[in-house]
Amino acid sequence: FSVSLAGFVEEPERKYCFECDSEEQCQEWIEALKRASYEFMRRCLIFYRNEIQKMTGKDPLEQYGISEEARFQLGTHK
């Protein structure tokens, strides 16, 4: 399988090719790449933030000085 980095300014048409010994290994690579994505990490942050807030009654991001506006935006995309 291959991964294209279309849209990146530095290398607009860069493509990485991967070879695997099996379909299972290919799927493992694809899942690992998905878990490393920004969107996956963002969804995890939103999920765990909400879970902590339910358990403690406090927003865990508040201690880091994240503004109300940023907290609102963080929770609006699902």
Side-chain angles (χ1 to χ4, degrees):
F1 68 97
S2 65
V3 176
S4 295
L5 299 179
F8 283 87
V9 176
E10 298 84 30
E11 301 180 60
E13 300 197 17
R14 181 78 174 178
K15 185 176 187 177
Y16 293 91
C17 295
F18 294 81
E19 291 184 27
C20 301
D21 293 328
S22 66
E23 178 68 25
E24 181 181 323
Q25 190 180 46
C26 180
Q27 291 304 318
E28 288 173 4
W29 265 106
I30 291 170
E31 286 305 310
L33 291 168
K34 285 180 185 178
R35 286 189 309 271
S37 74
Y38 169 82
E39 188 57 34
F40 180 82
M41 299 286 185
R42 185 180 167 284
R43 282 186 298 213
C44 286
L45 173 63
I46 291 168
F47 173 79
Y48 289 116
R49 175 184 161 244
N50 290 334
E51 290 299 304
I52 291 169
Q53 199 163 12
K54 282 184 219 173
M55 294 172 72
T56 66
K58 294 182 180 181
D59 186 341
L61 299 180
E62 189 175 343
Q63 65 182 322
Y64 298 105
I66 297 175
S67 71
E68 286 293 326
E69 182 178 307
R71 283 195 294 260
F72 178 77
Q73 289 175 355
L74 191 64
T76 58
H77 305 305
K78 296 194 180 193

